[in-house]
Amino acid sequence: MREDGTSRSDRRRGNRVEADELLVLVAKGDQKAFEDLYAVVSGPVFGLVRRVVRDPAQSEEVAQEVLLELWRSAARYDPGRGSALAWVLTLAHRRAVDRVRSARSATERELRMARRSNGPAFDHVAEEVEAGLEREWVRRCLDRLTALQRQSVTLAYYDGYTYREVAERLSLPLGTVKTRMRDGLTRLRNCLGGVA
């Protein structure tokens, strides 16, 4: 019993009657009635959805969807077939079950896709062989360069030095290194043209 003398069952019966009356008004487009109905049914709707869906964030989403659907479809409520609260909770239960089924289907789809694509995305052996052949081709092309061209290209492209740093390491003028590098890269490009 509460201070006002009402028992829990009296309050539930009162909420049920209130929800019935409010839903009829909501069906006529009464926004204030919807606010009042929302206050009466939002707790039970969320509780039911939470028990079915379990995830709190998704439960909130589903509860909001149910309450939106309630506003849109209030005119379909038939007081002769049961209480408004029962009708609203049926909507909530259906929507929650749909969400669970949808999530389960998505998970199953992802698992099927993962099983289908379980094989290697590419042939590792073939990739390694190709990479090895390409490395060998590059080595052969580098061997065709002059010593200065090979040193310059190796320092710049394999060791990451700038042209200026290459010039300093080889004790050569910067212009000479740039010219040798350009000539070397042109010869490499021509040599490697057979790879593509």
Side-chain angles (χ1 to χ4, degrees), residues 66-174:
V66 168
L67 293 165
L68 245 158
E69 182 180 350
L70 175 61
W71 171 254
R72 289 188 200 131
S73 62
R76 290 191 324 214
Y77 168 63
D78 179 5
R81 296 186 65 191
S83 74
L85 189 57
W87 185 73
V88 171
L89 292 177
T90 300
L91 291 176
H93 186 262
R94 286 180 185 157
R95 184 63 66 108
V97 168
D98 286 348
R99 177 65 64 99
V100 170
R101 285 179 180 156
S102 174
R104 188 175 296 141
S105 293
T107 301
E108 289 171 2
R109 240 186 341 270
E110 289 171 9
L111 288 172
R112 280 193 306 273
M113 292 294 290
R115 276 190 229 113
R116 273 190 235 140
S117 64
N118 200 10
F122 59 93
D123 188 347
H124 288 284
V125 174
E127 287 291 319
E128 288 179 31
V129 169
E130 280 184 40
L133 290 172
E134 288 172 2
R135 279 192 300 273
E136 182 58 34
W137 194 276
V138 170
R139 260 191 234 108
R140 286 183 186 163
C141 289
L142 279 170
D143 287 342
R144 294 181 183 171
L145 301 179
T146 67
L148 183 56
Q149 288 171 340
R150 187 174 41 256
Q151 280 181 312
S152 299
V153 169
T154 301
L155 287 170
Y157 289 93
Y158 289 106
D159 297 337
Y161 290 108
T162 64
Y163 285 4
R164 185 172 308 285
E165 291 170 333
V166 171
E168 289 170 6
R169 288 192 58 91
L170 297 177
S171 302
L172 292 169
L174 181 60

Side-chain angles (χ1 to χ4, degrees), residues 12-97:
R12 267 186 279 181
R13 197 171 17 262
N15 282 349
R16 205 170 30 247
V17 170
E18 184 181 9
D20 292 349
E21 294 166 359
L22 289 170
L23 191 53
V24 170
L25 294 172
V26 170
K28 295 176 184 174
D30 187 332
Q31 290 182 358
K32 174 64 175 124
F34 181 72
E35 289 175 23
D36 295 340
L37 182 63
Y38 186 98
V40 171
V41 300
S42 62
V45 165
F46 180 74
L48 176 84
V49 169
R50 180 79 164 87
R51 281 191 299 276
V52 175
V53 175
R54 297 210 169 118
D55 177 73
Q58 292 225 9
S59 297
E60 286 178 18
E61 258 182 55
V62 172
Q64 286 302 317
E65 290 170 8
V66 168
L67 293 165
L68 245 158
E69 182 180 350
L70 175 61
W71 171 254
R72 289 188 200 131
S73 62
R76 290 191 324 214
Y77 168 63
D78 179 5
R81 296 186 65 191
S83 74
L85 189 57
W87 185 73
V88 171
L89 292 177
T90 300
L91 291 176
H93 186 262
R94 286 180 185 157
R95 184 63 66 108
V97 168

